Amino acid sequence: MYSSILKTDQLLFLLFFTFLMIIWKRVKHEKIVVLIFSFLFSYYIFGPNFKAKFWLIDDHEIFYFLGSAVDPKGWGDFFSILIDQTEVGLFGVSTRYRPSYYFLRLVEVFLWKDNATLWYLFRFLILVSFVYSIILIFRYFLSTPVALAWIFTCFSFTYWSDIYSRLGPGETYVTLGVAMFILSTFNWEKKVSRSLGVTILQVLSLVIMIGSKENMFLVAMLPFLFLYDRSAERYKFKYYHLLYVLPILFSVVVVYAVIKALSLNPVDVNGNSAQISDRIRQIFGLMNNPLILQPTILGALLVIVLIVRRKIVQFLATYRQILFILFFLMINIILNIVFYGGDLPQNNRYDFPTSILYILYFIIIVGIIMRLLFQRKKIKKGLFVGFVFLIFSSIGFSSYSINEIQNASRKNTKRTLALNQMIGKMQLEPKDSTGIIYVRNFTEFEPADSFLQYAKYYNLQLRLALDVDEVKYYSSFQDGLMWYLRNLSIHGNKEKNLKPLGDLKKDKGVNCILYHFGELSFVAIEKYTFCKQINLQLISY
């Protein structure tokens, strides 16, 4: 019967957590068990990264900030780098504006420096705290074993590897902010914490989220959803709650910086049209998106149940706070989809936080519908509701996707170790060796530029030059980047330890190493006739 609905792994998943739900009352030290689970689950999907090194894409920025392995920059350079070498100093010019992201990134740069293990250890701790915090928030609506099951469902999307198996994504810091907010706001007894210290932590976490990803600006309103005390049936506002104005002002600054920059650019950083008319058109076309269609159907179903059961007035009185939370979740789902040009889900890091918001929306609204449809006796027992949610969790569970997240960690380790080994070999190359970095097209701009940064940081002794293919593009932006590389190829650059390609061609009978990022459409020894012999070195990225 179930085999036609659930796959084998999903059926076993359902049976295991049903059994766990039945025996859970016998479990002692529940909080410690959940914490251990958070560590073990995080280690399973992330563990291989502890052996990883730095990667070509994004990680080169770390070495850009440090400057040189021989004489790295320090804390005294912090603010000059923050203003002069990041988008923080490009207010209203850069279409990205993430002050918190670069502040935290520079803190990490000067704490961990070029120790990759410390970089990944910090991300592991962020992941553990994030997993634990999501379980904590799920426990407000589900029993603990069911909340644990839904963690597996949440991570049944391979995009998590795009967040935690890399050192560059801003989403990683957003999950840190989310964890900080949840852990400071909610406690294990399912109560909302309120104090000056809690407020300061909330404000700090919101600033981290807003300043790490521009599409997070609406989270500035989160604290106001929890000022209402249901037990006292009134809002508990204290003088220190005035601090909540700070994240709102910070959001205004970030949004204004992006809007000002977009007014000067026809497209945003993701290549989508920045025209207001195009964004409005996207809103009207969102109903075709399952992330909008399914929550809308659930909302309509709730309204129908309320009308049939004649409990609209009672619902508004009892669930007013929950209604605001549902509205907040829905608005943020729409915002994120519009932010990415209507193109979600993408199965990459851009799906965060939309997928988590959708899951939380689903759990809340289905729970309310069940409370309205079924008798209190069934609801209070918990097993019936828990089993229903376990069925939904099993449908969304994918052991394949979770294993793929771990496989992505292994692949990250493999590729970074290969890059680290190659750079080690380059450091041993003598001064009379000649290295040619060949760039075929625009897609290889970023890896080529990153590769040059590594060469500069380690002060490689071999003579390096760029060879850029003469390819024209329809985009002036793409052509501009390629011209930048061609200019480096022609004139070289002393700061990057880069020689003009023409100067290297004057030498005859030299030993060359050709570094390339993809398949070659030519015979290397015929193209570079000044080389006595050529060693081909593929750089995967």
Side-chain angles (χ1 to χ4, degrees), residues 346-384:
Q346 296 183 18
N347 199 32
N348 58 28
R349 60 191 174 89
Y350 296 153
D351 289 351
F352 177 83
T354 310
S355 63
I356 288 288
L357 295 175
Y358 170 75
I359 288 172
L360 187 56
Y361 178 95
F362 178 87
I363 289 174
I364 294 173
I365 204 166
V366 171
I368 294 173
I369 292 173
M370 291 182 66
R371 284 177 177 273
L372 293 170
L373 287 178
F374 299 104
Q375 297 177 355
R376 286 188 177 182
K377 291 182 180 180
K378 284 188 176 182
I379 300 298
K380 283 188 175 181
K381 286 182 179 180
L383 291 178
F384 172 72

Side-chain angles (χ1 to χ4, degrees), residues 265-463:
N265 296 279
V267 295
D268 62 17
V269 71
N270 300 305
N272 302 313
S273 172
Q275 300 298 317
I276 295 178
S277 57
D278 292 332
R279 292 301 166 105
I280 294 175
R281 194 179 301 115
Q282 289 170 6
I283 294 175
F284 286 109
L286 288 180
M287 288 308 297
N288 295 324
N289 192 307
L291 290 172
I292 297 296
L293 182 61
Q294 293 171 13
T296 302
I297 292 173
L298 286 172
L301 181 60
L302 174 60
V303 173
I304 292 171
V305 171
L306 286 171
I307 294 173
V308 172
R309 303 288 288 184
R310 298 180 180 179
K311 292 187 176 181
I312 295 179
V313 176
Q314 181 184 347
F315 173 79
L316 292 176
T318 307
Y319 294 103
R320 179 172 53 184
Q321 189 178 24
I322 295 294
L323 190 63
F324 284 133
I325 292 173
L326 288 173
F327 180 74
F328 174 82
L329 293 173
M330 194 65 192
I331 290 297
N332 273 276
I333 289 172
I334 295 172
L335 169 69
N336 279 273
I337 295 175
V338 172
F339 183 82
Y340 289 111
D343 188 20
L344 283 183
Q346 296 183 18
N347 199 32
N348 58 28
R349 60 191 174 89
Y350 296 153
D351 289 351
F352 177 83
T354 310
S355 63
I356 288 288
L357 295 175
Y358 170 75
I359 288 172
L360 187 56
Y361 178 95
F362 178 87
I363 289 174
I364 294 173
I365 204 166
V366 171
I368 294 173
I369 292 173
M370 291 182 66
R371 284 177 177 273
L372 293 170
L373 287 178
F374 299 104
Q375 297 177 355
R376 286 188 177 182
K377 291 182 180 180
K378 284 188 176 182
I379 300 298
K380 283 188 175 181
K381 286 182 179 180
L383 291 178
F384 172 72
V385 174
F387 185 70
V388 171
F389 273 106
L390 281 180
I391 292 175
F392 285 124
S393 178
S394 301
I395 294 172
F397 168 71
S398 171
S399 60
Y400 172 80
S401 296
I402 292 175
N403 288 328
E404 277 300 295
I405 298 173
Q406 188 196 63
N407 288 335
S409 298
R410 296 184 188 279
K411 291 177 182 177
N412 179 56
T413 299
K414 185 178 179 180
R415 68 183 184 181
T416 55
L417 287 174
L419 178 65
N420 185 69
Q421 185 180 21
M422 188 190 68
I423 292 175
K425 289 181 179 179
M426 293 178 70
Q427 288 177 284
L428 299 176
E429 291 291 340
K431 291 183 179 181
D432 57 351
S433 293
T434 299
I436 304 169
I437 305 170
Y438 177 67
V439 182
R440 294 180 301 173
N441 50 48
F442 168 75
T443 61
E444 295 178 354
F445 169 84
E446 188 173 5
D449 189 55
S450 303
F451 191 64
L452 290 175
Q453 190 58 54
Y454 277 96
K456 177 186 176 182
Y457 179 77
Y458 287 107
N459 193 28
L460 300 180
Q461 297 301 304
L462 80 162
R463 301 183 303 169

Side-chain angles (χ1 to χ4, degrees), residues 43-262:
Y43 187 80
Y44 178 78
I45 62 176
F46 182 89
N49 283 314
F50 282 119
K51 297 179 181 179
K53 300 296 182 180
F54 295 103
W55 180 226
L56 194 62
I57 308 300
D58 287 344
D59 296 357
H60 72 285
E61 193 176 51
I62 297 168
F63 301 100
Y64 172 64
F65 294 142
L66 285 173
S68 168
V70 178
D71 185 25
K73 295 178 182 178
W75 290 101
D77 305 298
F78 186 94
F79 288 104
S80 62
I81 294 175
L82 183 67
I83 300 300
D84 299 333
Q85 297 183 30
T86 74
E87 61 201 32
V88 176
L90 298 174
F91 183 90
V93 177
S94 171
T95 53
R96 303 299 307 271
Y97 197 68
R98 299 165 295 172
S100 302
Y101 169 80
Y102 277 107
F103 184 90
L104 290 172
R105 192 151 174 81
L106 284 176
V107 168
E108 284 201 89
V109 165
F110 295 127
L111 281 177
W112 321 138
K113 298 187 184 298
D114 58 3
N115 188 324
T117 302
L118 294 178
W119 280 88
Y120 282 105
L121 176 61
F122 184 58
R123 270 139 193 80
F124 172 72
L125 295 176
I126 292 175
L127 176 58
V128 171
S129 62
F130 179 71
V131 170
Y132 183 82
S133 68
I134 295 300
I135 295 172
L136 187 63
I137 202 70
F138 282 170
R139 285 185 70 256
Y140 270 70
F141 310 101
L142 307 168
S143 63
T144 302
V146 180
L148 295 178
W150 273 91
I151 282 295
F152 285 92
T153 305
C154 284
F155 280 83
S156 291
F157 302 93
T158 55
Y159 71 79
W160 291 105
S161 62
D162 202 25
I163 295 176
Y164 287 108
S165 285
R166 294 169 54 193
L167 300 179
E171 287 82 0
T172 310
Y173 292 138
V174 174
T175 62
L176 171 63
V178 170
M180 286 177 58
F181 184 86
I182 293 175
L183 294 176
S184 61
T185 305
F186 308 101
N187 57 42
W188 194 257
E189 289 71 34
K190 300 183 179 181
K191 295 180 179 179
V192 176
S193 303
R194 297 182 179 89
S195 68
L196 175 59
V198 167
T199 301
I200 292 172
L201 286 174
Q202 287 176 332
V203 169
L204 182 60
S205 64
L206 293 173
V207 168
I208 289 174
M209 285 187 271
I210 296 163
S212 295
K213 285 287 288 186
E214 304 90 331
N215 53 319
M216 298 297 296
F217 68 91
L218 282 181
V219 299
M221 306 306 297
L222 262 178
F224 298 100
L225 297 175
F226 306 106
L227 285 178
Y228 182 75
D229 189 341
R230 288 184 63 184
S231 60
E233 295 186 349
R234 64 186 179 87
Y235 286 93
K236 288 191 172 182
F237 189 85
K238 303 291 184 179
Y239 71 91
Y240 49 76
H241 289 148
L242 288 172
L243 291 172
Y244 291 148
V245 175
L246 295 178
I248 296 175
L249 294 176
F250 189 57
S251 288
V252 172
V253 171
V254 170
V255 171
Y256 178 72
V258 174
I259 291 176
K260 184 179 180 182
L262 289 176

